[in-house]
Amino acid sequence: MSWISRLLDTYNNCADEIGVGADNPDSVVLLPIGHTTNMAHVEICLSEDGDFIHGNSRVLVEKRDQLTIIPCSEDSANRTSGLCPHPLFDKLQYVAGDYCQYGGEVKKWDYKSYIANLENWCASSYAVPSVSSILTYLRKGNLISDLVSDGILQCDNQGKVIVKKPEGVSDVPLIFKAVVSGGTPMDAFIRFRVQVPGQSNDRIWLNKEVWNSFINYYTGTLVEKGI
């Protein structure tokens, strides 16, 4: 038996441990297949009907709150630039239909490609209501507008999102404290909560039903499979 096969057996034997401790950033977590982690900067709260719930979204300032399990494809996990959106959680340039309207410089197909990929997932037999709610919301194309109305992002006199940290002020907007390492508010990485009646966990990045939904959908799209 090769070492790769042994590794696969070890992973399968630890299946009950997948995702355990994912809500504790100090834990070492065994990730689900087809998932990786990223640092989110803004958490958006939606209703089951795909409506933005004003006042319930927030900026994630503390690093321990930012760690997020995200679905990924082989291409998006290895992207360096260009057209490779993650399947669900991603930067504003991919998930916000009004990104260019508010000053973002990006090729229009970033958002279109993201939406097309999400539509394929939601049209599959593995779709789950919470992910469909996210698609319903993002199709409206007003994500940044909602974040501006909620005070999470701020605009200048030309109606463009302010990307430079204000100088000489004590009350710096929280988004600048969340997006660091040379980033701007327009580089913010977004994750979603969806309040669905009867759903035990509205934190989609920790929801096992969503993990399994993506795993089943994505592995079914792969032409070549291996270890």
Side-chain angles (χ1 to χ4, degrees):
M1 181 182 293
S2 70
W3 68 269
I4 296 179
S5 296
R6 291 177 185 275
L7 182 60
L8 176 60
D9 286 342
T10 300
Y11 183 87
N12 289 335
N13 289 336
C14 296
D16 291 342
E17 298 299 316
I18 294 174
V20 174
D23 55 350
N24 180 0
D26 297 323
S27 297
V28 176
V29 180
L30 184 62
L31 292 174
I33 293 170
H35 289 71
T36 186
T37 59
N38 212 316
M39 304 299 280
H41 306 116
V42 176
E43 181 180 295
I44 293 177
C45 187
L46 304 176
S47 71
E48 180 184 19
D49 295 327
D51 294 323
F52 184 88
I53 303 179
H54 289 278
N56 281 29
S57 300
R58 64 190 183 112
V59 179
L60 305 168
V61 177
E62 300 295 332
K63 288 189 178 297
R64 64 178 293 108
D65 293 332
Q66 293 181 342
L67 187 65
T68 305
I69 295 177
I70 69 169
C72 67
S73 65
E74 291 182 355
D75 290 334
S76 73
N78 295 289
R79 74 184 185 192
T80 53
S81 61
L83 179 61
C84 294
H86 290 306
L88 188 57
F89 307 127
D90 214 324
K91 291 185 174 182
L92 280 173
Q93 74 178 71
Y94 292 102
V95 302
D98 51 356
Y99 186 80
C100 295
Q101 175 185 337
Y102 281 89
E105 296 180 4
V106 68
K107 295 179 180 178
K108 292 181 179 179
W109 40 246
D110 282 356
Y111 169 74
K112 291 182 178 179
S113 177
Y114 168 86
I115 290 294
N117 290 342
L118 190 56
E119 286 176 338
N120 289 337
W121 177 4
C122 289
S124 75
S125 59
Y126 304 109
V128 290
S130 53
V131 176
S132 297
S133 298
I134 294 172
L135 174 61
T136 297
Y137 171 68
L138 293 179
R139 275 175 169 164
K140 299 174 184 177
N142 55 8
L143 188 154
I144 292 182
S145 174
D146 285 333
L147 294 181
V148 170
S149 325
D150 244 18
I152 290 175
L153 297 177
Q154 297 184 358
C155 290
D156 58 21
N157 293 334
Q158 282 73 48
K160 307 301 182 184
V161 170
I162 297 172
V163 296
K164 187 175 180 180
K165 184 177 179 179
E167 300 290 342
V169 297
S170 58
D171 190 19
V172 177
L174 289 178
I175 190 65
F176 288 98
K177 298 180 181 180
V179 181
V180 293
S181 302
T184 77
M186 291 296 268
D187 297 316
F189 196 97
I190 308 298
R191 73 185 187 194
F192 298 94
R193 299 173 69 133
V194 181
Q195 297 182 351
V196 177
Q199 178 177 267
S200 60
N201 191 353
D202 68 351
R203 296 176 294 176
I204 302 305
W205 61 98
L206 297 176
N207 190 304
K208 291 184 178 181
E209 181 186 27
V210 175
W211 295 348
N212 291 330
S213 168
F214 179 72
I215 292 169
N216 291 327
Y217 161 69
Y218 182 60
T219 54
T221 67
L222 299 176
V223 176
E224 295 184 7
K225 298 179 182 179
I227 298 177

